[in-house]
Amino acid sequence: MFCFFSLLLFLLWLKTYFVQLTHFDLGIENTIQQFLLFLNPLGSSLLFLGFAFLVKGRKKFVLLLVINALMSSLLYANVLYYRFFNDFITVPNLAQTQNLGDVRSSITTLLTPWDVFLFADVAILLFAFVFKCKSIEIKEFTTRRVLALFLVALSISGVNLAIAETDRPQLLTRGFDRNYIVKYLGMYNYQIYDAVQSTRASTQRVFADSDSLTEALRFTRSNYAEPNPDYFGVGKGLNVIYVHLESIQNFLIHYELHGEEVTPFLNSLTEEEHTLYFNNFFHQTAQGKTADAEFMIANSLYGLPQGAAFTTKGLNTYHAAPAILGQQQGYTSAVFHGNKGSFWNRNEIYKSLGYDHFYDASYYDMAPEDLADYGLMDKPFFEQSIPYIESLPQPFYLNFITVTHHFPFTLNEEEATLAPHTTGSKTVNNYFQTARYADEALEQFFSYLKEAGYYDNSIIIMYGDHYGISNNHNRAMKHVIGKEVTPFESAGLQRTPLFIRVPGIEGGLIEEYAGQIDLLPTLLHLLGIDTKEFVHFGTDLLSDQHDDLIPFRNGDFVSSTITMADSKFYDSQTGMLLEEHQLEEALKLQEEVEQRLDLSDTIVNGDLLRFYTPKNFIPVDRSQYSYLRGNTEEEVDVELLDYPSLQ
């Protein structure tokens, strides 16, 4: 029995170490970190496998095999998740399993033939159990020995943590970055840490009261940026049209491939007379990706560090853009998305945000030939949205969520108008083809807006929601940007384009550093609504008082002067590491980033906005909203109108 247990423990330990070393980019920098990476699977493996000794007889073998299989499956699930998101699974992710059906095709692209070897030990041990079980001597462990086993396991993990704290002080109390937790404590200890953090977050609402909001109110009011008088109210009464540019990163703007512009239409907007183009605009999403972007743009609150507020906090009280504009300026609000309404829990949280209409897949003709991996392709999506747009009273606030340019960036050959890149990575190569398709779809949509008379009667905002190419493809990205993707360059690649077109204003390039958190106060000021009474963590990016500190969810940040990436500080203009005597300001910015993220998390986890109602705002009544087709006042016949085409 002891030999069987030892073999199982040894194989699980080595397998976990091998996976952590080769499948995750953990940034091992010294011998201490290398030693901890080797040590950390031992304590947790011994702890979990030790539970098998709490049962008697041959059930021990069965339980050992079950625990080993479960731990191997958890390890492999994180391998797949990391290949896609460059991140690790959290407990709130498990609440998003309703999305699995929609991402099935993406998952298959992540599988490799070599993955089967990650379960080789499970097969070997199962074989040994089936054919050698009868010859294995069963010797019961005394209670003292079982306790000793658990004590050894906890001691190993304790030593692990103590050494980790010497190399990375306050590892657990400042654990914004899951990468560090896995690097220092290992995959299985990380999962324990994550479960504790998730439980703690989920109980915050129970113990929250109005006093919990005081500090956040104090901070957001002191951080308020006075609107720029040249822009305040210039868009009052105009329609608002948001276009969500799925996975579009800013390096695509003016990028040429095979002698052609990849995004010629977006490029043209950088010189459009009434369009502001921001080339230092950063996404700030975490595990929620698209949902995080929507959440920030609607609320000017940060997404959560684990999971997505869209799925775990859908019933919260919010002071969101659709409700504000509907109540204060009579806007009709709607979201258009060619996927099912339950994806990211949109059909529920949109009620809390105050959206009047949600046109999901049930409103569209989802012909198989028109489908991408995540829903209706962009060209038929915009085309089929036209009847719904024209049925809505003006002024309206519309949000279009596109999907074609989404990982794994697959496109039928007949739809592709640009040859793929030649980086050696299929994902990166295909990225440019779907970006071209998305650009063409936008041009067609803009042609419609002009012909229908909306173009010069609307504020049009287009933003990239998150990166499309993760750090897993840095080697291929070297061929794209022409240099090594260092931590500093990786932070720079989190730039996504932002275009704001307002009829009558003078357009041009704006190099102000800004993030998705800033869009709501910017829009409200353009419409003539002062944001001082609202709890916003962003600031008007057209204001002279705009705060250009942009936190990322892992605790890193960028600003016009200092960038923090992978826990190192850089000069934002030169990319050079800061020297010791230059760190005082950087450390102050780091503290401020942690404060902002913590205050926002306190609000969202505690549902604190239920205790505060801004002036001239009425809390949203979720019961007043239903997005089921047939519950609207009038049905809209979907017919193919004369829609501009490039084909």
Side-chain angles (χ1 to χ4, degrees):
M1 176 66 190
F2 180 76
C3 292
F4 184 84
F5 172 76
S6 299
L7 176 62
L8 191 153
L9 174 64
F10 179 72
L11 291 175
L12 182 61
W13 175 17
L14 285 189
K15 176 175 68 176
T16 305
Y17 168 66
F18 173 77
V19 169
Q20 292 179 169
L21 182 66
T22 60
H23 286 68
F24 305 138
D25 183 14
L26 299 176
I28 304 300
E29 298 176 339
N30 54 48
T31 53
I32 291 178
Q33 294 176 10
Q34 186 64 258
F35 172 71
L36 289 175
L37 193 71
F38 176 72
L39 175 66
N40 57 46
L42 177 59
S44 48
S45 298
L46 185 60
L47 177 66
F48 287 116
L49 292 174
F51 284 102
F53 291 99
L54 298 178
V55 300
K56 296 185 180 297
R58 298 192 183 277
K59 291 181 180 178
K60 286 185 179 66
F61 293 104
V62 176
L63 190 53
L64 278 172
L65 291 171
V66 169
I67 293 173
N68 183 49
L70 289 174
M71 294 178 73
S72 298
S73 298
L74 178 63
L75 185 65
Y76 184 54
N78 274 282
V79 167
L80 293 180
Y81 192 85
Y82 195 88
R83 286 175 185 169
F84 193 174
F85 292 106
N86 204 46
D87 203 350
F88 300 98
I89 293 174
T90 65
V91 171
N93 290 148
L94 303 178
Q96 296 158 203
T97 53
Q98 72 271 23
N99 292 354
L100 287 178
D102 299 82
V103 302
R104 191 181 298 112
S105 60
S106 297
I107 293 175
T108 58
T109 66
L110 304 174
L111 306 177
T112 72
W114 301 106
D115 291 349
V116 68
F117 290 103
L118 295 181
F119 292 92
D121 62 320
V122 178
I124 292 170
L125 292 165
L126 182 60
F127 178 85
F129 171 70
V130 171
F131 292 98
K132 299 291 184 179
C133 178
K134 292 183 179 179
S135 62
I136 298 176
E137 181 184 356
I138 302 297
K139 187 174 181 180
E140 300 296 344
F141 271 37
T142 63
T143 302
R144 181 177 296 178
R145 286 191 175 184
V146 175
L147 289 175
L149 185 149
F150 284 132
L151 182 60
V152 170
L154 293 173
S155 297
I156 293 172
S157 295
V159 170
N160 184 163
L161 179 60
I163 298 174
E165 282 285 343
T166 63
D167 195 61
R168 174 72 172 178
Q170 297 179 296
L171 174 66
L172 298 182
T173 55
R174 300 172 68 180
F176 286 109
D177 194 336
R178 283 175 284 277
N179 214 56
Y180 278 91
I181 303 297
V182 174
K183 176 166 69 174
Y184 284 104
L185 301 185
M187 174 55 61
Y188 307 121
N189 285 328
Y190 154 73
Q191 299 290 175
I192 296 173
Y193 168 82
D194 171 64
V196 171
Q197 292 295 97
S198 298
T199 302
R200 179 184 173 191
S202 65
T203 58
Q204 285 186 24
R205 190 183 194 280
V206 177
F207 298 102
D209 56 32
S210 57
D211 292 339
S212 307
L213 189 61
T214 304
E215 187 179 356
L217 280 171
R218 186 183 300 118
F219 171 81
T220 56
R221 286 176 178 172
S222 65
N223 203 46
Y224 166 78
E226 293 279 352
N228 186 329
D230 293 336
Y231 291 101
F232 187 75
V234 297
K236 188 170 184 178
L238 297 178
N239 298 316
V240 176
I241 300 175
Y242 263 112
V243 182
H244 169 108
L245 304 177
E246 173 63 46
S247 299
I248 296 284
Q249 291 174 250
N250 202 59
F251 71 81
L252 284 170
I253 305 301
H254 299 302
Y255 188 88
E256 292 191 4
L257 180 62
H258 312 309
E260 299 182 52
E261 292 180 307
V262 176
T263 56
F265 177 65
L266 287 177
N267 295 349
S268 71
L269 293 180
T270 65
E271 300 176 357
E272 204 273 338
E273 61 176 332
H274 301 305
T275 299
L276 301 172
Y277 165 55
F278 296 78
N279 66 344
N280 286 312
F281 179 76
F282 292 79
H283 86 86
Q284 297 168 278
T285 67
Q287 289 186 327
K289 294 296 185 290
T290 295
D292 282 355
E294 283 193 76
F295 185 76
M296 280 184 278
I297 279 154
N299 298 291
S300 196
L301 297 169
Y302 293 102
L304 294 175
Q306 300 162 302
F310 259 44
T311 56
T312 61
K313 306 298 177 183
L315 301 180
N316 276 15
T317 296
Y318 296 106
H319 308 149
I324 295 171
L325 296 184
Q327 292 180 22
Q328 298 198 14
Q329 295 192 354
Y331 276 74
T332 303
S333 56
V335 181
F336 300 78
H337 184 42
N339 201 337
K340 63 184 181 183
S342 60
F343 195 74
W344 285 121
N345 195 42
R346 287 187 172 98
N347 54 359
E348 289 300 328
I349 193 169
Y350 283 164
K351 298 175 185 176
S352 299
L353 302 182
Y355 274 109
D356 297 314
H357 304 277
F358 175 28
Y359 300 103
D360 69 351
S362 66
Y363 289 82
Y364 293 87
D365 177 11
M366 305 291 284
E369 64 271 18
D370 289 335
L371 297 184
D373 291 292
Y374 287 80
L376 193 62
M377 294 182 69
D378 295 355
K379 291 178 183 178
F381 165 64
F382 283 126
E383 181 177 4
Q384 292 187 42
S385 298
I386 291 174
Y388 302 120
I389 298 171
E390 297 184 346
S391 73
L392 297 172
Q394 300 182 61
F396 49 56
Y397 172 92
L398 309 183
N399 186 7
F400 293 88
I401 304 170
T402 60
V403 303
T404 306
H405 186 54
H406 194 294
F407 179 90
F409 312 112
T410 53
L411 193 65
N412 294 332
E413 188 175 339
E414 58 270 21
E415 297 280 4
T417 58
L418 181 72
H421 213 303
T422 55
T423 66
S425 165
K426 183 179 179 181
T427 296
V428 176
N429 293 348
N430 292 348
Y431 179 83
F432 295 87
Q433 290 186 306
T434 50
R436 166 64 72 82
Y437 175 93
D439 188 71
E440 293 170 350
L442 284 170
E443 184 172 11
Q444 292 181 28
F445 184 52
F446 268 59
S447 294
Y448 159 71
L449 294 176
K450 292 174 182 177
E451 293 177 8
Y454 296 126
Y455 188 66
D456 288 322
N457 191 34
S458 302
I459 297 174
I460 303 174
I461 304 175
M462 298 192 295
Y463 68 97
D465 65 333
H466 55 75
Y467 65 78
I469 306 298
S470 73
N471 287 336
N472 296 324
H473 302 282
N474 282 351
R475 184 179 301 176
M477 283 300 294
K478 178 183 177 181
H479 297 285
V480 175
I481 65 174
K483 51 188 169 182
E484 292 283 349
V485 183
T486 63
F488 176 77
E489 293 297 336
S490 180
L493 284 171
Q494 306 317 303
R495 287 179 174 88
T496 67
L498 171 65
F499 299 91
I500 300 179
R501 185 187 190 277
V502 185
I505 70 166
E506 181 180 352
L509 173 67
I510 295 185
E511 297 187 295
E512 184 81 13
Y513 276 60
Q516 292 166 333
I517 202 75
D518 299 318
L519 276 178
L520 178 56
T522 303
L523 172 65
L524 293 181
H525 285 175
L526 285 170
L527 297 175
I529 298 174
D530 199 330
T531 61
K532 195 167 189 176
E533 292 295 316
F534 292 97
V535 180
H536 290 166
F537 283 85
T539 56
D540 181 351
L541 51 82
L542 298 173
S543 169
D544 294 336
Q545 300 171 6
H546 169 66
D547 186 345
D548 71 0
L549 177 61
I550 302 156
F552 296 140
R553 259 310 352 183
N554 64 355
D556 288 348
F557 62 84
V558 296
S559 74
S560 58
T561 56
I562 296 173
T563 292
M564 178 180 172
D566 200 18
S567 293
K568 296 182 177 65
F569 299 104
Y570 300 84
D571 183 302
S572 293
Q573 303 306 314
T574 68
M576 301 295 292
L577 280 167
L578 297 187
E579 307 213 357
E580 197 70 32
H581 67 278
Q582 300 173 300
L583 294 181
E584 184 177 356
E585 181 187 354
L587 293 173
K588 287 181 180 178
L589 292 178
Q590 183 184 18
E591 278 187 23
E592 188 169 339
V593 163
E594 292 178 2
Q595 178 192 27
R596 294 184 189 191
L597 295 173
D598 185 57
L599 287 174
S600 179
D601 290 348
T602 300
I603 289 173
V604 178
N605 286 322
D607 190 14
L608 297 186
L609 295 184
R610 61 193 158 123
F611 300 120
Y612 172 71
T613 302
K615 186 178 179 181
N616 298 322
F617 184 82
I618 301 171
V620 173
D621 181 358
R622 286 173 42 84
S623 68
Q624 299 301 307
Y625 301 91
S626 175
Y627 307 126
L628 295 177
R629 188 165 192 179
N631 287 5
T632 54
E633 291 185 4
E634 60 177 305
E635 284 294 319
V636 178
D637 291 327
V638 179
E639 56 182 276
L640 297 182
L641 306 178
D642 291 333
Y643 187 71
S645 175
L646 298 179
Q647 299 177 346

